Amino acid sequence: MATVSKTERRSAPPWKSAAIGLFCAAVIIIVFVASRSSDVEQTVAVPTGPHIYGGNSPPPDVDPVFEKVWQTAIARGPREGAIPIVSGPLADIDYDGYRKIIFDPDKQFWKGDDLGWILDLFHAGYIFKEPVRVWQVLSDSVADSAAAPAIGSGDPTVEANAERQPEIKPIAFDPDLFWYLDDVVKRDQIPEQFGYAGIRLNSIFQGEESYREVASFLGATYFRALGSDHIYGSSARGLAIDTASNMPEQFPSFREYWVERPKPDAERVRAWALLDSAGITGAYRFDIYPGDTTRLDVTARLKARHQIGKLCIAPITSMFMWGDGTPPPSGDSRPEVHDADGLLCWSESGEWLWRPLRCPSTTTRSVFEFDGLRGFGLLQRDQSYDNYRDDEALYHRRYSIWVEPKQSLGRGRVELLEIESPGEWIDNIAAFWVPERPILADDVIDLKYDLLFCSGNPPAFSGGRVLSSSVTYNAKQDVAKVMLTFGGGGLDDSARDRDFDVLVTPKDRLIAGPLVRRAEDGTIVAVFDLQAGTELSGEARACLVSGKDFLSETWSYRCQP
């Protein structure tokens, strides 16, 4: 149970600037303690096992490459062995100049080998100033086990496989792999010691004949993936440290990548990454399964170099400007502009919590505490073109990112950052999981979770939901007028004479209502007034009920202008 201007937009880079790392010193903090009555909680089977191990504990299921990456990581110091940061002309080029550096499509790795996968690489420069090394894994000896014993465990089969090390070859930087249009950069301006900015994996989606991008890893620990009908929007990160805290934020980086050459027609491709920062190091493995929903199975083992007060696990960044009750600015005819419209959390007890996003006038941090978590994510629920009417940005095709742990996370919190923003070319939303206990020096952290890049709700979602919410403020009276529309989960087909009510908490915020009615289309509409104002703390919550039955997710909102 839980306890507690168009021109600028068109010229914006595909990997938007992140305002997240420039977090304001003045932060408004909202804490939400998730709870529901025990007599109506759903019973959910929860995976068991700790997520933080001592230094002598066995690692998670590993393969020889994962073990190699892990041993390399813990043997190095911060930035040890890293390629020098880019300077000079490559660092000074702008976005338009960077776009003129193109990977030669005739030189893509595995092209013509009929494997169902193609690899190409990003050039370092522009804002991507930390080059990385890339390796290709060629051997078939890489284990494809879901739960293999650890190397060093004494298991004779594992030890025998460990001796048969995979064949790994470096993909050394080669300027001949790129086109430099209009001589944007001259060959003699490229440092002798150089690398790439990241990797891109392409495949053929089911029912299609041509290769398309599936996933890319580019910049710090940022990465993204696409389902078959998606275009890029929100981003995932490997890890963040001390984000929105009283300590300087650390940005861990993936220093090296290993990519396995897949077998013909393999359903997935595997990649590994070495993470490094002043405070933590470790190994990541990504198994990438493309589809209508593209899934990344993430396995990581990390070691803290010093005490970390706030470890931010599975961070997601996104953008929200207006929509879902927030009107557009004068002169812009688009009803909504966002890559995600809400935060969804799934507690260990089975409760679903929905928090619509805002573009605040002041940066805020909202905290949602849980005894355990089954999943969380930043969703783009609204998939209707008519609600965006943008033929260029195509916001109705942006995906949701859903994090689903394969282990018990224990007590902790989901934090939501909402940052004031000048425009849609900047990410101003972030969400991540923070364990309750701080991470001590030499702690080893094992993580295993799925990342789903899906349309709308995650596959596991069920029950009624808030189809739309509108919050209108009366500043003179400090009143928020709320209208919620509930639907889905059988609500539209439920008995017409059934009595519905909306449970609003905290009760002392409720000024008028709720008035609940069934609309002609079968949805349930609730209207109520809440006390609002900049001096109020906490979030108001509402859930559709009938008697003792909870019929919908819990809507949560910060009632401040």
Side-chain angles (χ1 to χ4, degrees), residues 350-381:
E351 179 182 6
W352 294 91
L353 170 73
W354 174 246
R355 168 55 156 80
L357 298 178
R358 309 165 75 242
C359 181
S361 57
T362 301
T363 296
T364 62
R365 176 169 67 99
S366 300
V367 178
F368 306 89
E369 298 182 344
F370 299 95
D371 278 346
L373 197 68
R374 293 286 293 174
F376 76 97
L378 291 176
L379 308 191
Q380 182 76 319
R381 273 183 165 175

Side-chain angles (χ1 to χ4, degrees), residues 415-436:
E415 293 198 10
L416 173 66
L417 307 185
E418 297 170 299
I419 302 173
E420 68 273 24
S421 174
E424 63 203 87
W425 58 91
I426 295 179
D427 279 342
N428 67 324
I429 304 292
F432 42 81
W433 172 259
V434 181
E436 181 180 62

Side-chain angles (χ1 to χ4, degrees), residues 6-241:
K6 289 277 188 180
T7 300
E8 291 175 305
R9 178 168 61 89
R10 288 187 170 93
S11 64
W15 289 73
K16 295 172 292 187
S17 303
I20 307 302
L22 304 176
F23 190 75
C24 291
V27 180
I28 298 175
I29 303 173
I30 309 298
V31 180
F32 169 64
V33 182
S35 63
R36 273 190 182 170
S37 301
S38 59
D39 58 343
V40 294
E41 287 173 354
Q42 303 175 36
T43 301
V44 178
V46 180
T48 60
H51 73 292
I52 298 179
Y53 293 84
N56 295 321
S57 296
D61 56 288
V62 298
D63 55 70
V65 179
F66 187 96
E67 181 71 9
K68 175 183 176 63
V69 178
W70 166 249
Q71 294 298 336
T72 302
I74 62 175
R76 292 178 179 173
R79 283 200 58 85
E80 184 179 341
I83 299 172
I85 294 174
V86 176
S87 60
L90 273 169
D92 296 336
I93 60 174
D94 59 13
Y95 169 65
D96 291 330
Y98 186 70
R99 290 183 64 189
K100 293 179 181 180
I101 304 176
I102 302 170
F103 196 93
D104 187 340
D106 292 329
K107 296 178 180 178
Q108 292 173 309
F109 293 86
W110 316 328
K111 188 172 185 176
D113 294 344
D114 199 24
L115 300 179
W117 289 90
I118 287 175
L119 168 70
D120 57 55
L121 306 165
F122 292 100
H123 200 287
Y126 177 48
I127 62 174
F128 310 111
K129 295 181 172 66
E130 295 196 42
V132 300
R133 292 185 175 87
V134 181
W135 309 79
Q136 186 174 186
V137 180
L138 302 174
S139 175
D140 289 336
S141 68
V142 179
D144 189 18
S145 61
I151 294 174
S153 64
D155 186 297
T157 303
V158 176
E159 301 306 329
N161 285 338
E163 295 176 1
R164 185 163 54 97
Q165 290 298 311
E167 184 180 0
I168 300 176
K169 292 185 176 181
I171 302 179
F173 178 78
D174 184 355
D176 290 334
L177 295 176
F178 295 89
W179 296 340
Y180 299 88
L181 304 183
D182 298 332
D183 289 329
V184 61
V185 174
K186 299 185 182 299
R187 300 293 182 93
D188 60 5
Q189 294 175 327
I190 300 173
E192 183 175 340
Q193 188 179 358
F194 204 55
Y196 301 96
I199 62 175
R200 173 165 45 207
L201 292 154
N202 311 271
S203 189
I204 303 174
F205 287 98
Q206 187 174 5
E208 299 184 6
E209 297 180 356
S210 302
Y211 283 91
R212 289 202 287 125
E213 185 171 344
V214 172
S216 56
F217 296 75
L218 178 63
T221 63
Y222 285 90
F223 58 96
R224 301 190 288 189
L226 293 168
S228 59
D229 193 41
H230 297 149
I231 63 172
Y232 276 135
S234 303
S235 300
R237 292 173 64 183
L239 204 69
I241 298 174

Side-chain angles (χ1 to χ4, degrees), residues 241-463:
I241 298 174
D242 291 329
T243 303
S245 73
N246 57 4
M247 299 293 292
E249 182 175 2
Q250 286 188 37
F251 283 86
S253 293
F254 289 141
R255 302 286 184 208
E256 301 186 36
Y257 292 99
W258 291 254
V259 185
E260 181 182 7
R261 175 187 168 94
K263 298 177 182 179
D265 299 319
E267 66 172 347
R268 65 106 176 113
V269 69
R270 174 171 286 181
W272 301 259
L274 187 154
L275 179 139
D276 173 54
S277 76
I280 203 164
T281 190
Y284 274 74
R285 185 178 68 205
F286 303 91
D287 287 344
I288 305 168
Y289 297 83
D292 293 341
T293 291
T294 290
R295 186 181 90 242
L296 274 65
D297 293 355
V298 182
T299 300
R301 186 162 221 238
L302 306 165
K303 185 175 183 179
R305 288 177 164 141
H306 58 62
Q307 182 169 334
I308 297 172
K310 186 176 181 181
L311 185 69
C312 307
I313 294 171
I316 309 169
T317 65
S318 193
M319 178 276 295
F320 183 93
M321 291 304 298
W322 65 82
D324 199 21
T326 304
S330 177
D332 199 315
S333 62
R334 296 172 296 166
E336 302 187 27
V337 169
H338 49 76
D339 287 340
D341 50 18
L343 167 71
L344 184 68
C345 300
W346 187 16
S347 76
E348 202 168 77
S349 69
E351 179 182 6
W352 294 91
L353 170 73
W354 174 246
R355 168 55 156 80
L357 298 178
R358 309 165 75 242
C359 181
S361 57
T362 301
T363 296
T364 62
R365 176 169 67 99
S366 300
V367 178
F368 306 89
E369 298 182 344
F370 299 95
D371 278 346
L373 197 68
R374 293 286 293 174
F376 76 97
L378 291 176
L379 308 191
Q380 182 76 319
R381 273 183 165 175
D382 193 339
Q383 303 276 298
S384 171
Y385 167 83
D386 290 339
N387 290 337
Y388 301 96
R389 297 203 294 270
D390 193 322
D391 291 319
E392 181 186 357
L394 301 175
Y395 287 114
H396 65 291
R397 292 179 56 191
R398 307 295 172 107
Y399 46 74
S400 302
I401 301 183
W402 179 250
V403 181
E404 200 159 283
K406 293 183 177 179
Q407 63 197 135
S408 175
L409 292 175
R411 290 180 57 86
R413 64 189 186 269
V414 173
E415 293 198 10
L416 173 66
L417 307 185
E418 297 170 299
I419 302 173
E420 68 273 24
S421 174
E424 63 203 87
W425 58 91
I426 295 179
D427 279 342
N428 67 324
I429 304 292
F432 42 81
W433 172 259
V434 181
E436 181 180 62
R437 57 156 281 188
I439 305 301
L440 304 179
D442 296 325
D443 268 354
V444 174
I445 304 100
D446 287 333
L447 302 172
K448 197 167 182 63
Y449 56 91
D450 286 347
L451 273 176
L452 304 180
F453 293 76
C454 57
S455 297
N457 286 309
F461 181 82
S462 62

